[in-house]
Amino acid sequence: MGANNGKQYGSEGKQSSSTLSDISSGTDHTPTRAPKNATTSEGLDSSTRTLSTPSPGLILPSKSSSLSSPALSSNGHDTHSSSSSSARAETSAVVHATPGAGPHARSARQPKGHHSSSSSSSSSSGPSPIDLLPDHALLQVFAHLPTNQLCRCARVSRRWYNLAWDPRLWSSIRLSGELLHADRAIRILTHRLCQDTPSVCLTLETVVVSGCKRLTDRGLYVLARCCPELRRLEVAGCYNVSNEAVFEVVSRCPNLEHLNLAGCSKVTCISLTEEASLQLAPVHGQQISISFLDMSDCLSLEDEGLRIIASHCPRLTHLYLRRCPRLTDESLRHLALHCPSVRELSLSDCRLLGDFGLREVARLEGRLRYLSVAHCPRITDVGVRYVARYCPRLRYLNARGCEGLTDHGLGHLARSCPKLKSLDVGKCPLVSDGGLEQLALYCQGLRRLSLRACESVSGRGLRALAANCCELQLLNVQDCEVSPEALRFVRRHCRRCVIEHTNPAFY
């Protein structure tokens, strides 16, 4: 099933009935940088030794297993790569005519002079065990393969070719690699998938090309033209994508629900094309069916852009706007006005947002479940009080680094949101034992709590929490002045709680 390194089996356009083209890939063993976490500002200080002490009930035999699924990547010109280079494993995934269809197919894959010996050995050994599997079993195996491996399977034999291109296996395409010619890969794959239904691929619903930095508007135009049933599109980190291509996709893919544009710095808003807007009936308006939208790190996004997004995407339920430095409180007014169904909202590191913006967020009322305003320095008790009063079903709040938050605001939150499950008030120096006692009294179902670098917290507040919040599963008290005795008290009362700390005396 392995692919011959660097070989070309044909050129595109020689046969009108099939695409004779290859997607060559270079598996780069150079260490790649991990993508930035959505809460990078919440990471641990590298100079601080962090200890994590689980409760005895969590010390279980380790079960570590990893499944490596190499992603489809490309280095462009594989014909010029040196065969003596052992640092990179060259592979190729070829979209071509059926194996064995031509008279020279066997000789193209076999060194000269070894034809008779190899054919006699294969005939004597008989079929391989995997070839004894029925078609439906092989399809089940192929269904778990990534896109590049599925293309390689199509090169093994005529039977595998027909099975590998079964439309049921191609509901999704997942490509990755900074060097991958993503536009070309998308064009070739969609062309092959459109053979049974000319010009349209009705089976493809998910396309993930995050991190493919060579992706441009051309690739998105192909998807918009050929994949009307697209429901999920992820192009995070593809900074060459612009507004025009995104408009084309959302206009021609009416079922699109999930869109990830994180790190696409050229994208400033989401709207329909002018042509699509004119075709819509007035009764439907200019609505887009997107419910999940991630525009984190879209540095050019401004208030007007968010206003256009909100007015065109009224069905939004999940919206992530982390590290969009140009957004102000005014943008959130349009969000609350046009998108009443938002359940999860992340505004972390949007440093121009303040209490007025949280007052607008509070207009989402009972629907809001998840809210992150980490490192928004203008937010104080006033804004938290608005959210607590009008969003009683809130389950998750991240207010790390909001230095204006005090025990007073924490008390309002505890009394108004008794179903709170996760809370992060790390680096809030004005939060002390008084606020923790309010949490212990009203939020007894709390499961995760971060108090990292809360200098005013002591053992008294932790004891109150441990005595009342028995479901606590994670407690972060790194860089807090708490005694080992208080931490042992927590461990005794919350048997399943993992305690993250920097106290060497507690073990």
Side-chain angles (χ1 to χ4, degrees):
M1 196 166 64
N4 293 331
N5 299 344
K7 287 190 177 180
Q8 303 286 342
Y9 286 91
S11 59
E12 187 176 6
K14 284 188 177 181
Q15 296 183 9
S16 60
S17 62
S18 63
T19 303
L20 301 179
S21 178
D22 64 353
I23 306 171
S24 57
S25 67
T27 306
D28 194 349
H29 295 280
T30 304
T32 56
R33 295 180 181 177
K36 290 184 178 180
N37 194 302
T39 56
T40 53
S41 55
E42 302 173 16
L44 302 180
D45 188 343
S46 59
S47 63
T48 304
R49 181 184 179 192
T50 302
L51 306 176
S52 180
T53 306
S55 69
L58 289 180
I59 303 177
L60 301 173
S62 61
K63 296 180 180 179
S64 60
S65 62
S66 61
L67 179 61
S68 175
S69 298
L72 184 63
S73 58
S74 172
N75 65 350
H77 306 284
D78 59 323
T79 56
H80 299 288
S81 61
S82 172
S83 60
S84 62
S85 175
S86 59
R88 295 170 183 247
E90 298 295 333
T91 60
S92 64
V94 180
V95 182
H96 54 57
T98 308
H104 303 291
R106 181 181 297 275
S107 61
R109 295 193 299 271
Q110 195 168 343
K112 195 172 183 179
H114 293 276
H115 175 77
S116 59
S117 61
S118 60
S119 57
S120 61
S121 62
S122 62
S123 60
S124 61
S125 61
S128 62
I130 195 169
D131 286 329
L132 299 178
L133 293 175
D135 287 355
H136 69 86
L138 270 179
L139 284 174
Q140 288 293 325
V141 174
F142 288 173
H144 292 83
L145 296 180
T147 301
N148 63 321
Q149 297 292 349
L150 200 53
C151 290
R152 290 173 186 153
C153 287
R155 306 177 61 206
V156 173
S157 66
R158 182 176 300 180
R159 180 194 178 207
W160 281 37
Y161 178 91
N162 293 328
L163 290 175
W165 289 108
D166 189 298
R168 291 170 292 182
L169 299 177
W170 291 93
S171 62
S172 66
I173 291 177
R174 299 176 185 271
L175 309 174
S176 65
E178 294 184 1
L179 301 179
L180 172 69
H181 292 282
D183 294 341
R184 181 169 174 258
I186 289 174
R187 175 172 55 83
I188 291 173
L189 290 172
T190 54
H191 179 82
R192 177 58 184 82
L193 295 174
C194 289
Q195 287 190 355
D196 295 331
T197 53
S199 301
V200 177
C201 178
L202 299 177
T203 60
L204 191 59
E205 297 182 350
T206 299
V207 174
V208 178
V209 287
S210 296
C212 297
K213 295 184 177 180
R214 292 191 178 186
L215 180 73
T216 67
D217 289 350
R218 290 191 295 271
L220 292 191
Y221 282 131
V222 171
L223 291 177
R225 183 175 62 253
C226 300
C227 308
E229 298 299 322
L230 196 64
R231 294 181 179 272
R232 182 187 185 107
L233 176 62
E234 297 188 17
V235 292
C238 302
Y239 49 73
N240 290 316
V241 170
S242 68
N243 282 346
E244 288 72 19
V246 175
F247 292 178
E248 192 72 19
V249 170
V250 299
S251 298
R252 303 186 69 164
C253 302
N255 297 322
L256 189 65
E257 299 174 345
H258 183 114
L259 181 59
N260 187 344
L261 298 171
C264 298
S265 55
K266 293 183 180 180
V267 178
T268 60
C269 67
I270 296 176
S271 179
L272 296 171
T273 61
E274 183 177 353
E275 179 183 359
S277 299
L278 294 175
Q279 292 176 353
L280 287 174
V283 71
H284 295 293
Q286 299 181 8
Q287 295 187 1
I288 300 172
S289 59
I290 294 175
S291 59
F292 179 104
L293 177 61
D294 191 343
M295 293 192 68
S296 302
D297 297 300
C298 290
L299 305 181
S300 301
L301 180 63
E302 298 181 348
D303 291 350
E304 178 62 17
L306 188 55
R307 183 193 68 79
I308 295 174
I309 291 173
S311 60
H312 283 83
C313 306
R315 302 180 187 178
L316 277 176
T317 58
H318 297 69
L319 179 61
Y320 302 94
L321 302 170
R322 309 177 186 96
R323 296 174 296 279
C324 294
R326 300 186 181 185
L327 293 180
T328 69
D329 293 336
E330 179 65 20
S331 63
L332 298 181
R333 184 174 67 85
H334 299 293
L335 181 65
L337 180 64
H338 297 288
C339 304
S341 300
V342 172
R343 301 179 70 237
E344 294 194 10
L345 176 63
S346 179
L347 304 167
S348 298
D349 293 282
C350 296
R351 296 182 175 271
L352 298 181
L353 299 180
D355 293 333
F356 178 79
L358 281 194
R359 187 182 72 171
E360 297 301 318
V361 170
R363 294 171 61 185
L364 296 172
E365 297 181 346
R367 300 174 185 85
L368 194 64
R369 300 289 189 276
Y370 171 107
L371 176 64
S372 178
V373 289
H375 296 280
C376 297
R378 299 187 179 187
I379 289 177
T380 67
D381 289 341
V382 176
V384 173
R385 186 169 66 242
Y386 277 121
V387 172
R389 180 177 179 182
Y390 294 104
C391 303
R393 296 183 181 180
L394 194 67
R395 299 290 190 274
Y396 174 98
L397 176 63
N398 185 351
R400 171 172 290 198
C402 297
E403 297 182 354
L405 181 63
T406 70
D407 290 342
H408 185 65
L410 207 56
H412 275 287
L413 181 69
R415 290 190 295 272
S416 301
C417 303
K419 296 184 179 181
L420 198 66
K421 299 295 183 184
S422 180
L423 176 65
D424 190 339
V425 288
K427 298 183 180 180
C428 295
L430 301 180
V431 170
S432 67
D433 293 335
L436 298 188
E437 290 172 345
Q438 293 288 311
L439 282 175
L441 184 61
Y442 294 102
C443 300
Q444 297 184 4
L446 195 65
R447 295 181 181 177
R448 301 172 67 89
L449 176 64
S450 177
L451 302 168
R452 183 180 181 182
C454 291
E455 303 168 354
S456 302
V457 169
S458 70
R460 190 189 71 182
L462 294 186
R463 287 187 175 91
L465 278 171
N468 292 276
C469 303
C470 299
E471 297 181 18
L472 201 63
Q473 297 176 1
L474 177 64
L475 176 65
N476 188 337
V477 288
Q478 297 171 27
D479 303 317
C480 294
E481 297 295 331
V482 292
S483 65
E485 290 76 17
L487 296 179
R488 293 189 185 99
F489 185 89
V490 173
R491 185 166 61 183
R492 283 197 305 271
H493 285 77
C494 303
R495 300 290 295 174
R496 300 190 62 81
C497 182
V498 175
I499 304 174
E500 297 180 354
H501 62 95
T502 51
N503 191 329
F506 174 67
Y507 52 88

